[in-house]
Amino acid sequence: MGVRQETGTATAHRVVILGAGYAGMAAAVQLAARVKGREGVRVTVVDAQERFTERMRLHMTATGQRTAELSIPELLEGTGARFVRGWVTAVDTAAKTVRIDDDRVLRYDTLVYGLGGVADTSAVPGAEDHAYTLSSAQDAELLADRLARLGSGTVVVAGSGLTGIESAAEIAERHPQLSVVLLGRQEPGAAMNPRARAYLRAALDRLGVRVCAGVEVVKVLPDAVQLAGGESIAADAVLWTSGTRVSPLTAAAGLAVDEHGRILTDAALRSVSHPEVYAIGDAAAIRQGYGVMHGTCQGGMPTGVHAALSIDRVLRGKQPKPFRFGYYHTPVSLGRRDAVVQFTRPDDSPRRICLTGRMAVRYKETVTASPWPTYGRMKKMPASGAIWPRGGRFTRNQEAQ
Ligand SMILES: Cc1cc2nc3c(=O)[nH]c(=O)nc-3n(C[C@H](O)[C@H](O)[C@H](O)COP(=O)(O)OP(=O)(O)OC[C@H]3O[C@@H](n4cnc5c(N)ncnc54)[C@H](O)[C@@H]3O)c2cc1C
């Protein structure tokens, strides 16, 4: 089969945004609003799915719960950005092209890389073959099928970070006949203040989740996980949530990346090796005063907004501004009826204040639903208007100037 080239208008500046997740959608809606009505700029968004993946709700999908049907083309409607559905298989930074589904080629002048990350199943032998992940909606549905078919048995959740905690709690609540074991190097909620941590632990105990902290999984077998001390824990299903890696596409494209495959950026979110490529969300390694940002929607959406503002400035012959971001909170669901929200300092260290119980559930739900009102506000924004709430509710991004 021949390769189809999509060249667009010869004179237009082609901005191609890879990934319509939280960060990519923020970039697309923001940039499209900025350049709307301006001749000569074309914004294209590429994603494998037409349905928006609510990654923050994949632990719900994995337990058979239905989440909203959100269509990317509908969310982009009226923005002027065009949507291309397809799987990105390669980026050629020399030719400035993106290959989609192996048979289509898109040309770009500016590329925004926002394809997110996946659970790092390469870290331990057997995880790739035998463990489930929450890397995509399809992966979450596979686990949902397995859990629905298990009458009784043990589910091991490997990784005691936030995804592991939320998943273990959700599985225990939805499938009370299953034994749920949460394994990890650290105590769940280790980065929280003592009150939030104790609340979280009590909630896991109430749900019947067995917590094994201070352990290292060294192998995943078809029916068990093996720990560093030689002990094995029998498992009818293993969910791998430990670590994140970015697709080998980034390194194969010759982009400078870190050890997780994340694209190294300068202060304006441009690749340090290829300044016409911007990196956003989980796929980017973005250094701030306190260290490299870790993957969250909280930080990912502002990176998308900032990349859009930077591209717009460059197109207008101006210098892009540096990106600055401070964390604000760590919201963790503990099933559908309980949650804990740890408020944080900008460097993500815990403050004394936290929310628990119903208040925290409501807060978490508001945060999880936050993209839709935010994208809506962006769509309506006049090109010169403020884009991200200054000192906003969800971030301290300073860029809305
Ligand atoms: C269970 C769970 C709960 C979470 N809870 C929270 C929370 O409460 N708060 C918070 O801030 N963060 C939370 N996170 C983290 C958050 O979801 C991620 O940080 C966020 O989704 C990253 O956004 P992104 O746009 O970079 O990537 P994504 O949202 O993962 O989007 C990437 C997009 O790229 C597409 N894609 C990927 N590869 C290809 C390809 N090769 N070709 C075409 N398309 C492709 C995907 O379809 C997807 O639409 C949670 C994560 C999980 C798994």
Side-chain angles (χ1 to χ4, degrees):
M1 188 164 28
V3 171
R4 281 180 282 149
Q5 298 255 357
E6 299 189 20
T7 49
T9 323
T11 52
H13 185 98
R14 294 154 299 194
V15 181
V16 173
I17 298 171
L18 300 185
Y22 294 94
M25 279 296 290
V29 174
Q30 182 63 236
L31 183 61
R34 288 252 147 188
V35 303
K36 200 166 186 178
R38 212 188 295 165
E39 288 294 314
V41 185
R42 185 164 203 220
V43 181
T44 303
V45 187
V46 184
D47 201 288
Q49 309 294 332
E50 208 161 280
R51 181 180 177 184
F52 182 88
T53 300
E54 283 195 276
R55 199 173 167 83
M56 283 197 283
R57 293 190 196 271
L58 286 184
H59 54 310
M60 294 169 65
T61 307
T63 48
Q65 299 172 72
R66 288 179 72 85
T67 57
E69 288 286 340
L70 298 158
S71 144
I72 296 168
E74 277 173 28
L75 291 166
L76 290 174
E77 219 166 76
T79 62
R82 113 185 139 118
F83 177 64
V84 172
R85 183 181 175 177
W87 184 254
V88 179
T89 53
V91 175
D92 185 333
T93 47
K96 292 193 181 172
T97 57
V98 176
R99 190 172 276 261
I100 298 163
D101 289 334
D102 283 328
D103 68 342
R104 273 183 292 169
V105 169
L106 275 186
R107 295 194 171 279
Y108 67 83
D109 299 295
T110 300
L111 186 73
V112 181
Y113 191 101
L115 293 180
V118 293
D120 190 1
T121 47
S122 66
V124 161
E128 182 72 36
D129 295 330
H130 307 304
Y132 292 86
T133 68
L134 298 184
S135 295
S136 68
Q138 290 76 9
D139 292 328
E141 281 159 10
L142 284 177
L143 177 58
D145 281 354
R146 174 74 179 143
L147 297 181
R149 280 186 282 109
L150 278 178
S152 60
T154 301
V155 180
V156 166
V157 178
S160 53
L162 303 180
T163 303
I165 296 166
E166 291 195 328
S167 304
E170 205 78 31
I171 295 168
E173 186 177 271
R174 285 272 147 180
H175 297 281
Q177 81 285 4
L178 296 174
S179 302
V180 181
V181 183
L182 177 61
L183 301 178
R185 293 189 192 102
Q186 290 192 314
E187 191 65 33
M192 295 181 161
N193 74 28
R195 195 179 138 232
R197 188 163 62 242
Y199 187 90
L200 191 149
R201 185 56 192 264
L204 291 174
D205 289 347
R206 175 176 49 74
L207 288 163
V209 175
R210 191 178 131 212
V211 175
C212 300
V215 300
E216 180 92 23
V217 176
V218 292
K219 198 168 188 177
V220 180
L221 303 164
D223 54 0
V225 293
Q226 209 172 299
L227 305 183
E231 191 193 339
S232 281
I233 298 180
D236 297 283
V238 176
L239 170 61
W240 191 263
T241 69
S242 179
T244 304
R245 73 184 144 98
V246 166
S247 158
L249 277 178
T250 53
L255 294 159
V257 297
D258 72 359
E259 69 277 20
H260 306 291
R262 295 181 300 180
I263 298 170
L264 299 170
T265 72
D266 68 9
L269 306 186
R270 292 172 298 202
S271 152
V272 294
S273 58
H274 296 76
E276 70 284 3
V277 178
Y278 289 74
I280 57 174
D282 285 6
I286 300 167
R287 186 161 287 284
Q288 297 287 297
Y290 48 78
V292 177
M293 286 171 67
H294 61 88
T296 60
C297 292
Q298 186 187 167
M301 287 177 65
T303 64
V305 171
H306 190 94
L309 297 180
S310 296
I311 292 167
D312 181 46
R313 285 182 73 86
V314 171
L315 288 173
R316 290 186 290 117
K318 296 184 172 181
Q319 279 298 316
K321 292 185 178 179
F323 176 73
R324 291 196 300 278
F325 173 78
Y327 295 95
Y328 185 65
H329 61 198
T330 306
V332 186
S333 64
L334 299 164
R336 290 300 88 205
R337 294 184 289 274
D338 204 358
V340 57
V341 180
Q342 171 68 68
F343 292 98
T344 64
R345 299 188 188 87
D347 66 2
D348 212 24
S349 60
R351 289 183 190 274
R352 285 178 60 183
I353 181 168
C354 61
L355 292 179
T356 56
R358 281 182 181 282
M359 288 271 281
V361 171
R362 229 173 289 148
Y363 185 100
K364 167 83 182 178
E365 194 44 43
T366 308
V367 171
T368 309
S370 69
W372 324 120
T374 307
Y375 296 148
R377 278 199 302 276
M378 285 180 196
K379 276 204 228 181
K380 287 186 199 130
M381 211 66 78
S384 58
I387 309 304
W388 202 258
R390 202 186 284 254
R393 265 166 65 206
F394 303 112
T395 76
R396 280 148 198 257
N397 179 25
Q398 303 293 305
E399 179 50 33
Q401 296 157 28

